[in-house]
């Protein structure tokens, strides 16, 4: 009887272990759940938070694309997990979607101190850290997330993408320079960086989108006519949209070696685009597109995740 019980117990342990392996997808990695997951990773002594959506169709035997979505100021990863539309795209397209949370700082903006403000470390910007604050290394944070994803999932390293909104858009712009060897293509929404930047590690496809009524969080200004995109990209004195489209485009032209002549396309009733290509005919992936969206103020547009994915998925690392 004792021998029978030992055999039964051993069989139960084997059965239970096999079930556990099947559910985790990788017997050597920490567990994950189909659907929503919250993880933390320690970066330079700080526990950093990120959310991951694993689609129901995920198969641990197949390499799976990954999309990072970065929130804006005073947001967090869970907010954009819920509201950005990317987890739904992940389900339909069978991609893993990742929603990191930025760090909280005391910052100085418009001459005022603002404590406990969530910000990505994307400088130069219209804000600075308060005295005594140390900006965290978000580039290292993203690289650490990718290392952890590797330990949990079978990801496609040729198809890792990044999207960022507002301050997250500025952080996405920083990544076009400092992580362009890792991300296959990047979308910047509502904000970008301009001025002095480092040399890009790789010249990659970049898509910038902004509403024709977007003057920043809580900002107002005249609606930019949809027919004015060419003007805003070439006139250094324009005040439409705070002259940002000119500054962003000139920065990208300079650092990515783009032809300053662009091609206009689209529909003035919805979205108009200007596309720049490389001065070097041997750089077909060096593409920069600026999109002007009608009627949009400062928000990540409804349905943008679907359209952004349609653009992103054209590209992979060479």
């Amino acid at each position: 009887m004792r021998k029978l019980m030992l055999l039964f117990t051993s069989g139960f342990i084997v059965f239970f272990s096999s079930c556990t392996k099947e559910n985790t997808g990788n017997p050597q990695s920490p567990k994950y759940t189909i659907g929503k997951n919250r993880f933390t990773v320690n970066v330079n002594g700080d526990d950093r938070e990120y959310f991951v959506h694993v689609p129901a169709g995920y198969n641990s035997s197949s390499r799976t694309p990954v999309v990072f979505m970065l929130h804006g100021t005073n947001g967090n990863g869970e907010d954009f997990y819920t509201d950005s539309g990317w987890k739904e795209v992940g389900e339909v397209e069978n991609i893993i979607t990742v929603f990191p949370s930025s760090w909280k700082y005391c910052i100085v903006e418009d001459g005022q101190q603002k404590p406990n403000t969530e910000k990505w470390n994307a400088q130069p910007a219209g804000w600075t850290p308060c005295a005594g604050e140390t900006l965290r290394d978000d580039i290292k944070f993203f690289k650490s997330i990718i290392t952890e994803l590797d330990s949990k999932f079978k990801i496609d390293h040729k198809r890792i993408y990044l999207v960022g909104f507002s301050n997250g858009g500025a952080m996405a712009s920083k990544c076009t320079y400092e992580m362009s060897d890792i991300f296959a293509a990047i979308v910047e929404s509502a904000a970008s960086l301009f001025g002095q930047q480092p040399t890009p590690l790789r010249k990659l496809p970049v898509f910038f989108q902004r509403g024709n009524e977007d003057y920043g969080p809580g900002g107002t200004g005249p609606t930019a006519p949809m027919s004015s995109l060419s003007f805003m990209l070439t006139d250094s004195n324009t005040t439409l949209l705070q002259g940002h489209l000119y500054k962003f485009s000139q920065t990208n032209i300079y650092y990515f070696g783009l032809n300053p002549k662009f091609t206009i396309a689209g529909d003035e009733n919805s979205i108009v685009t200007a596309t720049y290509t490389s001065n070097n005919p041997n750089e077909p992936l060096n593409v920069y597109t600026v999109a002007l969206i009608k009627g949009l103020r400062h928000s990540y547009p409804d349905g943008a995740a679907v359209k952004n994915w349609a653009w992103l998925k054209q590209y992979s690392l060479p």
Side-chain angles (χ1 to χ4, degrees), residues 119-160:
K119 282 285 190 182
W120 297 107
N121 177 8
Q123 296 286 339
W127 61 275
T128 56
C130 296
E133 283 280 18
T134 301
L135 295 179
R136 273 34 179 200
D137 188 343
D138 290 323
I139 297 294
K140 187 173 181 179
F141 176 34
F142 299 158
K143 290 180 179 179
S144 297
I145 291 174
I146 292 170
T147 298
E148 284 216 337
L149 292 176
D150 256 335
S151 74
K152 297 176 173 70
F153 309 103
K154 190 168 185 177
I155 66 174
D156 186 347
H157 280 270
K158 289 186 176 292
R159 303 186 67 204
I160 305 176

mmCIF file of all heavy atoms in Angstrom, residues 119-160:
data_model
loop_
_atom_site.group_PDB
_atom_site.id
_atom_site.type_symbol
_atom_site.label_atom_id
_atom_site.label_comp_id
_atom_site.label_asym_id
_atom_site.label_seq_id
_atom_site.Cartn_x
_atom_site.Cartn_y
_atom_site.Cartn_z
ATOM 1 N N LYS A 119 7.681 61.627 -14.974
ATOM 2 C CA LYS A 119 8.357 62.111 -16.182
ATOM 3 C C LYS A 119 9.340 61.069 -16.678
ATOM 4 O O LYS A 119 9.998 60.372 -15.901
ATOM 5 C CB LYS A 119 9.141 63.396 -15.887
ATOM 6 C CG LYS A 119 8.315 64.662 -15.793
ATOM 7 C CD LYS A 119 7.869 65.168 -17.146
ATOM 8 C CE LYS A 119 7.263 66.549 -17.063
ATOM 9 N NZ LYS A 119 6.772 67.016 -18.397
ATOM 10 N N TRP A 120 9.462 60.992 -18.004
ATOM 11 C CA TRP A 120 10.560 60.270 -18.620
ATOM 12 C C TRP A 120 11.758 61.206 -18.725
ATOM 13 O O TRP A 120 11.594 62.412 -18.943
ATOM 14 C CB TRP A 120 10.167 59.767 -20.008
ATOM 15 C CG TRP A 120 9.038 58.796 -19.994
ATOM 16 C CD1 TRP A 120 7.747 59.018 -20.395
ATOM 17 C CD2 TRP A 120 9.094 57.431 -19.546
ATOM 18 N NE1 TRP A 120 6.998 57.878 -20.218
ATOM 19 C CE2 TRP A 120 7.793 56.888 -19.702
ATOM 20 C CE3 TRP A 120 10.111 56.627 -19.033
ATOM 21 C CZ2 TRP A 120 7.490 55.575 -19.361
ATOM 22 C CZ3 TRP A 120 9.819 55.318 -18.689
ATOM 23 C CH2 TRP A 120 8.514 54.802 -18.857
ATOM 24 N N ASN A 121 12.943 60.638 -18.606
ATOM 25 C CA ASN A 121 14.171 61.421 -18.661
ATOM 26 C C ASN A 121 14.529 61.699 -20.119
ATOM 27 O O ASN A 121 15.394 61.051 -20.703
ATOM 28 C CB ASN A 121 15.300 60.665 -17.958
ATOM 29 C CG ASN A 121 16.634 61.386 -18.033
ATOM 30 O OD1 ASN A 121 16.714 62.533 -18.476
ATOM 31 N ND2 ASN A 121 17.694 60.714 -17.619
ATOM 32 N N ALA A 122 13.828 62.667 -20.688
ATOM 33 C CA ALA A 122 14.060 63.063 -22.082
ATOM 34 C C ALA A 122 14.400 64.550 -22.091
ATOM 35 O O ALA A 122 13.522 65.406 -21.982
ATOM 36 C CB ALA A 122 12.820 62.792 -22.933
ATOM 37 N N GLN A 123 15.665 64.847 -22.184
ATOM 38 C CA GLN A 123 16.164 66.222 -22.150
ATOM 39 C C GLN A 123 16.915 66.532 -23.440
ATOM 40 O O GLN A 123 17.423 65.610 -24.073
ATOM 41 C CB GLN A 123 17.086 66.400 -20.939
ATOM 42 C CG GLN A 123 16.411 66.235 -19.596
ATOM 43 C CD GLN A 123 15.542 67.408 -19.217
ATOM 44 O OE1 GLN A 123 15.707 68.518 -19.740
ATOM 45 N NE2 GLN A 123 14.594 67.187 -18.322
ATOM 46 N N PRO A 124 16.999 67.810 -23.861
ATOM 47 C CA PRO A 124 16.479 68.999 -23.197
ATOM 48 C C PRO A 124 14.968 69.101 -23.312
ATOM 49 O O PRO A 124 14.369 68.608 -24.269
ATOM 50 C CB PRO A 124 17.168 70.141 -23.944
ATOM 51 C CG PRO A 124 17.431 69.585 -25.313
ATOM 52 C CD PRO A 124 17.726 68.142 -25.113
ATOM 53 N N ALA A 125 14.352 69.743 -22.307
ATOM 54 C CA ALA A 125 12.902 69.853 -22.271
ATOM 55 C C ALA A 125 12.516 71.173 -21.612
ATOM 56 O O ALA A 125 13.378 71.924 -21.150
ATOM 57 C CB ALA A 125 12.302 68.671 -21.499
ATOM 58 N N GLY A 126 11.223 71.430 -21.530
ATOM 59 C CA GLY A 126 10.732 72.647 -20.896
ATOM 60 C C GLY A 126 10.641 72.534 -19.389
ATOM 61 O O GLY A 126 9.995 73.364 -18.748
ATOM 62 N N TRP A 127 11.271 71.527 -18.813
ATOM 63 C CA TRP A 127 11.292 71.343 -17.360
ATOM 64 C C TRP A 127 12.674 70.869 -16.954
ATOM 65 O O TRP A 127 13.432 70.342 -17.768
ATOM 66 C CB TRP A 127 10.240 70.316 -16.924
ATOM 67 C CG TRP A 127 10.452 68.938 -17.530
ATOM 68 C CD1 TRP A 127 10.022 68.511 -18.749
ATOM 69 C CD2 TRP A 127 11.178 67.849 -16.948
ATOM 70 N NE1 TRP A 127 10.434 67.215 -18.976
ATOM 71 C CE2 TRP A 127 11.140 66.772 -17.885
ATOM 72 C CE3 TRP A 127 11.855 67.656 -15.743
ATOM 73 C CZ2 TRP A 127 11.747 65.547 -17.637
ATOM 74 C CZ3 TRP A 127 12.465 66.427 -15.494
ATOM 75 C CH2 TRP A 127 12.394 65.384 -16.440
ATOM 76 N N THR A 128 13.003 71.070 -15.696
ATOM 77 C CA THR A 128 14.261 70.606 -15.144
ATOM 78 C C THR A 128 13.991 69.960 -13.793
ATOM 79 O O THR A 128 12.990 70.270 -13.141
ATOM 80 C CB THR A 128 15.273 71.753 -14.951
ATOM 81 O OG1 THR A 128 14.680 72.761 -14.125
ATOM 82 C CG2 THR A 128 15.663 72.361 -16.292
ATOM 83 N N PRO A 129 14.856 69.061 -13.343
ATOM 84 C CA PRO A 129 14.657 68.478 -12.013
ATOM 85 C C PRO A 129 14.958 69.497 -10.922
ATOM 86 O O PRO A 129 15.809 70.376 -11.089
ATOM 87 C CB PRO A 129 15.660 67.319 -11.986
ATOM 88 C CG PRO A 129 16.705 67.689 -12.975
ATOM 89 C CD PRO A 129 16.008 68.477 -14.046
ATOM 90 N N CYS A 130 14.247 69.387 -9.800
ATOM 91 C CA CYS A 130 14.549 70.232 -8.646
ATOM 92 C C CYS A 130 15.956 69.930 -8.138
ATOM 93 O O CYS A 130 16.509 68.853 -8.391
ATOM 94 C CB CYS A 130 13.541 69.979 -7.520
ATOM 95 S SG CYS A 130 11.835 70.424 -7.929
ATOM 96 N N ALA A 131 16.522 70.872 -7.386
ATOM 97 C CA ALA A 131 17.847 70.662 -6.797
ATOM 98 C C ALA A 131 17.835 69.400 -5.946
ATOM 99 O O ALA A 131 16.914 69.178 -5.160
ATOM 100 C CB ALA A 131 18.223 71.866 -5.937
ATOM 101 N N GLY A 132 18.844 68.567 -6.150
ATOM 102 C CA GLY A 132 18.943 67.331 -5.386
ATOM 103 C C GLY A 132 18.315 66.126 -6.053
ATOM 104 O O GLY A 132 18.539 64.995 -5.606
ATOM 105 N N GLU A 133 17.516 66.346 -7.098
ATOM 106 C CA GLU A 133 16.909 65.231 -7.823
ATOM 107 C C GLU A 133 17.916 64.632 -8.808
ATOM 108 O O GLU A 133 18.687 65.363 -9.441
ATOM 109 C CB GLU A 133 15.678 65.679 -8.606
ATOM 110 C CG GLU A 133 14.438 65.888 -7.765
ATOM 111 C CD GLU A 133 13.723 64.582 -7.447
ATOM 112 O OE1 GLU A 133 14.349 63.504 -7.579
ATOM 113 O OE2 GLU A 133 12.552 64.632 -7.054
ATOM 114 N N THR A 134 17.880 63.335 -8.944
ATOM 115 C CA THR A 134 18.716 62.630 -9.921
ATOM 116 C C THR A 134 17.819 61.966 -10.946
ATOM 117 O O THR A 134 16.976 61.132 -10.590
ATOM 118 C CB THR A 134 19.590 61.563 -9.235
ATOM 119 O OG1 THR A 134 20.427 62.192 -8.260
ATOM 120 C CG2 THR A 134 20.459 60.835 -10.259
ATOM 121 N N LEU A 135 17.977 62.343 -12.200
ATOM 122 C CA LEU A 135 17.161 61.739 -13.245
ATOM 123 C C LEU A 135 17.582 60.284 -13.460
ATOM 124 O O LEU A 135 18.768 59.974 -13.531
ATOM 125 C CB LEU A 135 17.299 62.525 -14.548
ATOM 126 C CG LEU A 135 16.752 63.960 -14.526
ATOM 127 C CD1 LEU A 135 16.977 64.638 -15.866
ATOM 128 C CD2 LEU A 135 15.263 63.970 -14.166
ATOM 129 N N ARG A 136 16.591 59.390 -13.573
ATOM 130 C CA ARG A 136 16.870 57.967 -13.732
ATOM 131 C C ARG A 136 17.250 57.645 -15.176
ATOM 132 O O ARG A 136 16.923 58.384 -16.108
ATOM 133 C CB ARG A 136 15.656 57.139 -13.324
ATOM 134 C CG ARG A 136 15.522 56.774 -11.860
ATOM 135 C CD ARG A 136 16.007 57.772 -10.881
ATOM 136 N NE ARG A 136 15.797 57.324 -9.495
ATOM 137 C CZ ARG A 136 15.781 58.158 -8.476
ATOM 138 N NH1 ARG A 136 15.953 59.454 -8.649
ATOM 139 N NH2 ARG A 136 15.606 57.678 -7.230
ATOM 140 N N ASP A 137 17.918 56.511 -15.323
ATOM 141 C CA ASP A 137 18.388 56.065 -16.633
ATOM 142 C C ASP A 137 17.289 55.215 -17.281
ATOM 143 O O ASP A 137 17.238 53.999 -17.104
ATOM 144 C CB ASP A 137 19.680 55.257 -16.465
ATOM 145 C CG ASP A 137 20.336 54.910 -17.792
ATOM 146 O OD1 ASP A 137 19.656 54.993 -18.840
ATOM 147 O OD2 ASP A 137 21.527 54.537 -17.778
ATOM 148 N N ASP A 138 16.412 55.877 -18.044
ATOM 149 C CA ASP A 138 15.295 55.156 -18.659
ATOM 150 C C ASP A 138 15.748 54.278 -19.824
ATOM 151 O O ASP A 138 15.093 53.268 -20.127
ATOM 152 C CB ASP A 138 14.209 56.141 -19.112
ATOM 153 C CG ASP A 138 13.481 56.761 -17.934
ATOM 154 O OD1 ASP A 138 13.251 56.047 -16.935
ATOM 155 O OD2 ASP A 138 13.144 57.955 -18.005
ATOM 156 N N ILE A 139 16.830 54.652 -20.475
ATOM 157 C CA ILE A 139 17.369 53.791 -21.533
ATOM 158 C C ILE A 139 17.769 52.447 -20.934
ATOM 159 O O ILE A 139 17.434 51.371 -21.469
ATOM 160 C CB ILE A 139 18.572 54.456 -22.231
ATOM 161 C CG1 ILE A 139 18.156 55.751 -22.945
ATOM 162 C CG2 ILE A 139 19.221 53.479 -23.209
ATOM 163 C CD1 ILE A 139 17.212 55.566 -24.111
ATOM 164 N N LYS A 140 18.462 52.475 -19.807
ATOM 165 C CA LYS A 140 18.844 51.233 -19.130
ATOM 166 C C LYS A 140 17.610 50.468 -18.673
ATOM 167 O O LYS A 140 17.577 49.232 -18.725
ATOM 168 C CB LYS A 140 19.754 51.540 -17.940
ATOM 169 C CG LYS A 140 20.332 50.298 -17.274
ATOM 170 C CD LYS A 140 21.358 50.665 -16.203
ATOM 171 C CE LYS A 140 21.955 49.422 -15.570
ATOM 172 N NZ LYS A 140 22.979 49.765 -14.527
ATOM 173 N N PHE A 141 16.585 51.181 -18.223
ATOM 174 C CA PHE A 141 15.322 50.559 -17.821
ATOM 175 C C PHE A 141 14.716 49.774 -18.974
ATOM 176 O O PHE A 141 14.350 48.600 -18.837
ATOM 177 C CB PHE A 141 14.370 51.653 -17.335
ATOM 178 C CG PHE A 141 12.980 51.215 -16.966
ATOM 179 C CD1 PHE A 141 12.727 49.970 -16.389
ATOM 180 C CD2 PHE A 141 11.909 52.078 -17.173
ATOM 181 C CE1 PHE A 141 11.430 49.582 -16.038
ATOM 182 C CE2 PHE A 141 10.618 51.706 -16.817
ATOM 183 C CZ PHE A 141 10.381 50.459 -16.260
ATOM 184 N N PHE A 142 14.625 50.367 -20.150
ATOM 185 C CA PHE A 142 14.035 49.678 -21.301
ATOM 186 C C PHE A 142 14.863 48.459 -21.703
ATOM 187 O O PHE A 142 14.311 47.402 -22.033
ATOM 188 C CB PHE A 142 13.899 50.629 -22.491
ATOM 189 C CG PHE A 142 13.004 51.820 -22.246
ATOM 190 C CD1 PHE A 142 13.120 52.968 -23.009
ATOM 191 C CD2 PHE A 142 12.046 51.805 -21.245
ATOM 192 C CE1 PHE A 142 12.306 54.069 -22.793
ATOM 193 C CE2 PHE A 142 11.230 52.907 -21.002
ATOM 194 C CZ PHE A 142 11.370 54.046 -21.784
ATOM 195 N N LYS A 143 16.171 48.608 -21.665
ATOM 196 C CA LYS A 143 17.034 47.467 -21.999
ATOM 197 C C LYS A 143 16.859 46.344 -20.980
ATOM 198 O O LYS A 143 16.870 45.159 -21.342
ATOM 199 C CB LYS A 143 18.491 47.916 -22.076
ATOM 200 C CG LYS A 143 18.792 48.806 -23.278
ATOM 201 C CD LYS A 143 20.256 49.220 -23.311
ATOM 202 C CE LYS A 143 20.554 50.078 -24.531
ATOM 203 N NZ LYS A 143 21.973 50.517 -24.584
ATOM 204 N N SER A 144 16.670 46.710 -19.714
ATOM 205 C CA SER A 144 16.453 45.702 -18.670
ATOM 206 C C SER A 144 15.124 44.988 -18.879
ATOM 207 O O SER A 144 15.024 43.772 -18.650
ATOM 208 C CB SER A 144 16.484 46.358 -17.285
ATOM 209 O OG SER A 144 17.744 46.926 -17.019
ATOM 210 N N ILE A 145 14.102 45.717 -19.310
ATOM 211 C CA ILE A 145 12.812 45.088 -19.610
ATOM 212 C C ILE A 145 12.983 44.054 -20.719
ATOM 213 O O ILE A 145 12.469 42.930 -20.630
ATOM 214 C CB ILE A 145 11.760 46.143 -20.020
ATOM 215 C CG1 ILE A 145 11.382 47.017 -18.828
ATOM 216 C CG2 ILE A 145 10.509 45.460 -20.583
ATOM 217 C CD1 ILE A 145 10.453 48.166 -19.175
ATOM 218 N N ILE A 146 13.705 44.421 -21.768
ATOM 219 C CA ILE A 146 13.894 43.494 -22.887
ATOM 220 C C ILE A 146 14.630 42.242 -22.428
ATOM 221 O O ILE A 146 14.285 41.121 -22.818
ATOM 222 C CB ILE A 146 14.634 44.199 -24.045
ATOM 223 C CG1 ILE A 146 13.736 45.282 -24.651
ATOM 224 C CG2 ILE A 146 15.035 43.188 -25.119
ATOM 225 C CD1 ILE A 146 14.434 46.197 -25.647
ATOM 226 N N THR A 147 15.627 42.416 -21.554
ATOM 227 C CA THR A 147 16.334 41.252 -21.000
ATOM 228 C C THR A 147 15.371 40.362 -20.227
ATOM 229 O O THR A 147 15.404 39.127 -20.350
ATOM 230 C CB THR A 147 17.473 41.711 -20.081
ATOM 231 O OG1 THR A 147 18.416 42.465 -20.853
ATOM 232 C CG2 THR A 147 18.186 40.522 -19.453
ATOM 233 N N GLU A 148 14.482 40.965 -19.434
ATOM 234 C CA GLU A 148 13.503 40.179 -18.676
ATOM 235 C C GLU A 148 12.487 39.508 -19.601
ATOM 236 O O GLU A 148 12.086 38.368 -19.368
ATOM 237 C CB GLU A 148 12.786 41.070 -17.661
ATOM 238 C CG GLU A 148 13.618 41.403 -16.445
ATOM 239 C CD GLU A 148 12.792 41.476 -15.178
ATOM 240 O OE1 GLU A 148 11.570 41.711 -15.265
ATOM 241 O OE2 GLU A 148 13.373 41.277 -14.088
ATOM 242 N N LEU A 149 12.054 40.217 -20.646
ATOM 243 C CA LEU A 149 11.125 39.606 -21.597
ATOM 244 C C LEU A 149 11.748 38.358 -22.214
ATOM 245 O O LEU A 149 11.078 37.344 -22.423
ATOM 246 C CB LEU A 149 10.753 40.599 -22.699
ATOM 247 C CG LEU A 149 9.910 41.812 -22.293
ATOM 248 C CD1 LEU A 149 9.722 42.746 -23.488
ATOM 249 C CD2 LEU A 149 8.566 41.397 -21.724
ATOM 250 N N ASP A 150 13.047 38.441 -22.492
ATOM 251 C CA ASP A 150 13.762 37.289 -23.044
ATOM 252 C C ASP A 150 13.721 36.095 -22.111
ATOM 253 O O ASP A 150 13.718 34.944 -22.559
ATOM 254 C CB ASP A 150 15.220 37.666 -23.306
ATOM 255 C CG ASP A 150 15.509 37.889 -24.775
ATOM 256 O OD1 ASP A 150 14.779 37.333 -25.626
ATOM 257 O OD2 ASP A 150 16.454 38.624 -25.082
ATOM 258 N N SER A 151 13.711 36.340 -20.802
ATOM 259 C CA SER A 151 13.703 35.241 -19.840
ATOM 260 C C SER A 151 12.315 34.632 -19.667
ATOM 261 O O SER A 151 12.182 33.533 -19.137
ATOM 262 C CB SER A 151 14.219 35.730 -18.483
ATOM 263 O OG SER A 151 13.263 36.542 -17.826
ATOM 264 N N LYS A 152 11.286 35.344 -20.117
ATOM 265 C CA LYS A 152 9.904 34.884 -19.932
ATOM 266 C C LYS A 152 9.255 34.402 -21.224
ATOM 267 O O LYS A 152 8.386 33.528 -21.204
ATOM 268 C CB LYS A 152 9.049 36.025 -19.359
ATOM 269 C CG LYS A 152 9.454 36.513 -17.974
ATOM 270 C CD LYS A 152 8.592 37.715 -17.574
ATOM 271 C CE LYS A 152 8.842 38.127 -16.126
ATOM 272 N NZ LYS A 152 10.157 38.721 -15.913
ATOM 273 N N PHE A 153 9.637 35.013 -22.338
ATOM 274 C CA PHE A 153 8.942 34.779 -23.603
ATOM 275 C C PHE A 153 9.946 34.523 -24.730
ATOM 276 O O PHE A 153 11.138 34.793 -24.578
ATOM 277 C CB PHE A 153 8.083 35.998 -23.980
ATOM 278 C CG PHE A 153 7.177 36.474 -22.888
ATOM 279 C CD1 PHE A 153 7.484 37.606 -22.149
ATOM 280 C CD2 PHE A 153 6.016 35.776 -22.581
ATOM 281 C CE1 PHE A 153 6.656 38.041 -21.141
ATOM 282 C CE2 PHE A 153 5.174 36.204 -21.570
ATOM 283 C CZ PHE A 153 5.501 37.345 -20.841
ATOM 284 N N LYS A 154 9.410 34.060 -25.834
ATOM 285 C CA LYS A 154 10.224 33.934 -27.040
ATOM 286 C C LYS A 154 9.897 35.128 -27.927
ATOM 287 O O LYS A 154 8.884 35.140 -28.637
ATOM 288 C CB LYS A 154 9.931 32.616 -27.761
ATOM 289 C CG LYS A 154 10.920 32.308 -28.882
ATOM 290 C CD LYS A 154 10.782 30.874 -29.368
ATOM 291 C CE LYS A 154 11.860 30.546 -30.392
ATOM 292 N NZ LYS A 154 11.794 29.136 -30.822
ATOM 293 N N ILE A 155 10.736 36.156 -27.869
ATOM 294 C CA ILE A 155 10.429 37.387 -28.593
ATOM 295 C C ILE A 155 11.248 37.482 -29.875
ATOM 296 O O ILE A 155 12.315 36.894 -30.007
ATOM 297 C CB ILE A 155 10.650 38.628 -27.710
ATOM 298 C CG1 ILE A 155 12.124 38.811 -27.345
ATOM 299 C CG2 ILE A 155 9.799 38.552 -26.449
ATOM 300 C CD1 ILE A 155 12.408 40.100 -26.588
ATOM 301 N N ASP A 156 10.704 38.238 -30.814
ATOM 302 C CA ASP A 156 11.351 38.443 -32.113
ATOM 303 C C ASP A 156 12.192 39.716 -32.023
ATOM 304 O O ASP A 156 11.654 40.828 -32.041
ATOM 305 C CB ASP A 156 10.289 38.569 -33.206
ATOM 306 C CG ASP A 156 10.888 38.639 -34.598
ATOM 307 O OD1 ASP A 156 12.111 38.846 -34.716
ATOM 308 O OD2 ASP A 156 10.123 38.485 -35.574
ATOM 309 N N HIS A 157 13.512 39.572 -31.915
ATOM 310 C CA HIS A 157 14.372 40.729 -31.718
ATOM 311 C C HIS A 157 14.499 41.600 -32.962
ATOM 312 O O HIS A 157 15.002 42.729 -32.866
ATOM 313 C CB HIS A 157 15.754 40.284 -31.242
ATOM 314 C CG HIS A 157 15.790 39.976 -29.783
ATOM 315 N ND1 HIS A 157 16.091 40.905 -28.823
ATOM 316 C CD2 HIS A 157 15.514 38.828 -29.111
ATOM 317 C CE1 HIS A 157 16.021 40.361 -27.624
ATOM 318 N NE2 HIS A 157 15.678 39.098 -27.773
ATOM 319 N N LYS A 158 14.069 41.115 -34.082
ATOM 320 C CA LYS A 158 14.058 41.950 -35.281
ATOM 321 C C LYS A 158 12.782 42.793 -35.371
ATOM 322 O O LYS A 158 12.678 43.675 -36.215
ATOM 323 C CB LYS A 158 14.196 41.090 -36.538
ATOM 324 C CG LYS A 158 15.586 40.491 -36.716
ATOM 325 C CD LYS A 158 15.705 39.780 -38.037
ATOM 326 C CE LYS A 158 17.109 39.257 -38.264
ATOM 327 N NZ LYS A 158 18.090 40.353 -38.448
ATOM 328 N N ARG A 159 11.825 42.534 -34.465
ATOM 329 C CA ARG A 159 10.538 43.224 -34.539
ATOM 330 C C ARG A 159 10.121 43.708 -33.148
ATOM 331 O O ARG A 159 9.071 43.337 -32.625
ATOM 332 C CB ARG A 159 9.478 42.307 -35.157
ATOM 333 C CG ARG A 159 9.871 41.800 -36.542
ATOM 334 C CD ARG A 159 8.745 41.016 -37.188
ATOM 335 N NE ARG A 159 7.631 41.881 -37.495
ATOM 336 C CZ ARG A 159 6.364 41.458 -37.626
ATOM 337 N NH1 ARG A 159 6.069 40.186 -37.440
ATOM 338 N NH2 ARG A 159 5.406 42.307 -37.922
ATOM 339 N N ILE A 160 10.958 44.552 -32.559
ATOM 340 C CA ILE A 160 10.619 45.250 -31.324
ATOM 341 C C ILE A 160 10.395 46.713 -31.680
ATOM 342 O O ILE A 160 11.242 47.341 -32.340
ATOM 343 C CB ILE A 160 11.738 45.117 -30.264
ATOM 344 C CG1 ILE A 160 12.059 43.650 -30.002
ATOM 345 C CG2 ILE A 160 11.324 45.800 -28.964
ATOM 346 C CD1 ILE A 160 13.217 43.449 -29.030
#
